[in-house]
Amino acid sequence: MQFVDKDLKSIQEARILVESARDAHFLLREYDQETLDRMIQRMITEVHQLLPELAAFEVSVTGKGNKQDKTQLYQNFLAQFNDSLQEQVIGVLNTNGVPLSKIGIPFGVVAVILPAENIVLNALFATLSALKAGNTVILIPPNKTEEAAAKLVEILNQANSGLPKSSFSYMENTTIEGVKALIEQEAVDLVINIGMADYFDLRAYPKPIIYGGCGSVPVFVERTADVSQAAQAIVSSRAFDNGLLPSAEQFVIAESVIAKEVKEQMIEAGAHFMSVAEEKQLLTKLFLSNEINPSIVGKDAQTIAGNAEFTVSEKTKVLVSEQPYIFDENPFTTALKCPILTFYLESDWIHACDKCIQLLKEKRNGHTLAIHSNNQCIIKEFALKKPVGRMIVNAGASLAGIGIDSSLPVSLILGGMTTGRGFKAKNITAKDLTYVREIGYTSVKEPSKGVNKRISDEQLLIEKFLQKIIEQ
C-alpha cells in the first residue's frame, strides 16, 4: 500500500486547482453580464429544489446549527439574492448619461477560505457572487467539511449552466500547507477569508484579502425602546440557527432605569439567566485549553445546559450571563458561536456608548452594532462614534445584518476592516469582487459655434481676396 503525505497531496492539488481556474477564466472573461446572470439563474433554480436536503446534509456533516432555521435562511437568502442579479457589475456600467466612463473588470481567480459554520450557504453565496463578477472561484473548506462543499459543487454542476469547466471548484484535501501553496500561486488574484482567523496570518502574502467573520455584536437597549419588541428580537435573533450567523448579538447593554423590565421580557421570550453556580459549570465545558470547545459551537441552549449538567425549561432559547463589568480575563468576552448572551447594566446612554466601544475593541472581533431606541439623536450619536461597518436599528441583528429584510446589501461576508482585518468594512457583494476602470475625457472647452462661424467667414473673405489677386 502506498502512503502519500497529506500536505504534499494538498500542495499538489492546490497547484492543479489554480491552473484549471486560471485557464477557465481565459474563457469566462469573454462572457457578458447578461450571459453570466442567465447561467447563475439556472444554478439557483437547481439549488432551490434541494434546499431542505442541503440543510439536513450540512447539519449531519458538521453537527452544527438547526435544520429548520437553515432551510428558512436558505430560502429567504436566495430569494433576496436573486433580486440582486439585476445589477450590472462588469462591462459598461451605468454612469448617469455619460456614454462610456466606467467599466467593471473581474479580478480573475478568487480563492475563498470557508468557515465550518453555514458552510453550504457561505460557499453558495461566494460562488454565485464571484461568477456574477466574471471571476472563477476555488472554495477551501475546513478540514473534515469537504463533503459538504462537494455536495454543493455536485448540485451546481447538475444545473448544466454552460460555464467553462473549472469555473468553480473546491479543495478536497485541506491542510495549512496546501492553503498557503494555493494563495502563493501567482494566478490567484483575490483571497476571501470568511471567519477563519487561524488562516489570517496568510495576510503576509502579497494578495488583496477580504475578511469577514463572527462579529461579537453588542446591542444597546435605550430607555425609549419598545422593550418587549427589543427583548423578543434579541432572544430570537441570538437563538436563530443556534447563534451561528456572523451578525448575531452577543452582548446586551441595558440602561439601568429599564434593566429590570428588559430582563423580565427576555425571560418571557425564552432567556435563562444563569446562576453563579451554573456559570461555573458551563465554563468547565465551554473551553478546552483556552479555546472554544468545538462540541459546544452551533448547539442549542438546552443541549449546552445539559452538557454543563444543569437543567433549563423546555422553552429556553438562550443562556444569559449577567456581568457587572468587562475585564480582560472574562471568558464571556470571547466570540461565542452559540446561543449565549452576556448582560450588562449602564446608568445612561453615554456610559453605554463607552461600553459598546470597549466591547468592540476588547477582542478585535466587532464589525457590527445593534441598538433599540426611538431617540433619533442617540441613534445618530451611536452611528457617528462606533468603530463598526454596520449598525442595526430596532431589529434582530442576525438576519438584518446580512441583509435579510433590511436595507443592507444581502451578504454573508461582513467586512472586517474595523477589526483590523481585510480592506473592506461593508457587506461584500459581487460588485466588490471587481475593480472599476475609469475613462477620462478632455476637459478643454471647444470653441462656441458663434466663434467658429466668425472664423469661417473671415477665411472665406481672405480666400475671395486672394482669388481676385490671382485673376489679375
Side-chain angles (χ1 to χ4, degrees), residues 109-113 183 188-193 207-211:
V109 177
V110 177
V112 182
I113 302 173
I183 291 175
V188 172
D189 299 287
L190 176 69
V191 177
I192 302 175
N193 183 332
K207 301 288 165 90
I209 294 181
I210 293 174
Y211 184 89

Side-chain angles (χ1 to χ4, degrees), residues 214-216 238 250-251 292 331-337 363 365:
C214 180
S216 300
R238 184 52 168 167
Q250 183 169 332
F251 310 111
I292 298 295
F332 290 105
T333 59
T334 303
L336 301 175
K337 299 176 183 177
K363 300 288 185 179
N365 287 324

Side-chain angles (χ1 to χ4, degrees), residues 53 89 117 246-247 258 264 338 360 366 403 443:
E53 178 186 333
V89 299
E117 302 80 37
S247 53
I258 60 168
E264 290 173 350
C338 53
L360 290 165
S443 58

Side-chain angles (χ1 to χ4, degrees), residues 136-308:
T136 53
V137 58
I138 303 170
L139 302 173
I140 307 172
N143 192 24
K144 299 181 180 178
T145 65
E146 293 93 344
E147 193 177 354
K151 181 73 171 178
L152 176 64
V153 170
E154 178 188 345
I155 291 171
L156 294 179
N157 280 322
Q158 289 172 4
N160 295 317
S161 61
L163 289 163
K165 184 180 179 181
S166 299
S167 293
F168 53 92
S169 56
Y170 75 99
M171 181 174 263
E172 296 183 30
N173 304 283
T174 306
T175 69
I176 288 282
E177 294 304 317
V179 175
K180 285 181 179 179
L182 193 151
I183 291 175
E184 284 179 328
Q185 295 293 310
E186 185 178 352
V188 172
D189 299 287
L190 176 69
V191 177
I192 302 175
N193 183 332
I194 310 178
M196 296 297 286
D198 290 346
Y199 287 98
F200 197 72
D201 287 340
L202 304 180
R203 66 185 182 276
Y205 300 116
K207 301 288 165 90
I209 294 181
I210 293 174
Y211 184 89
C214 180
S216 300
V217 177
V219 52
F220 173 48
V221 186
E222 191 261 337
R223 67 182 67 194
T224 65
D226 182 331
V227 174
S228 176
Q229 185 274 333
Q232 182 65 49
I234 292 167
V235 172
S236 297
S237 176
R238 184 52 168 167
F240 188 86
D241 199 24
N242 296 342
L244 291 180
L245 288 178
S247 53
E249 297 89 340
Q250 183 169 332
F251 310 111
V252 181
I253 302 99
E255 276 199 269
S256 56
V257 294
I258 60 168
K260 182 180 178 182
E261 184 183 1
V262 172
K263 187 174 177 179
E264 290 173 350
Q265 290 295 332
M266 286 181 65
I267 292 171
E268 182 66 25
H272 174 84
F273 280 74
M274 294 180 287
S275 67
V276 174
E278 287 171 340
E279 282 186 20
K280 289 181 178 179
Q281 289 173 249
L282 175 63
L283 291 176
T284 63
K285 303 292 184 180
L286 194 56
F287 295 91
L288 292 175
S289 302
N290 297 321
E291 297 290 334
I292 298 295
N293 184 346
S295 68
I296 296 294
V297 174
K299 295 296 192 291
D300 63 81
Q302 294 182 41
T303 299
I304 295 171
N307 289 342

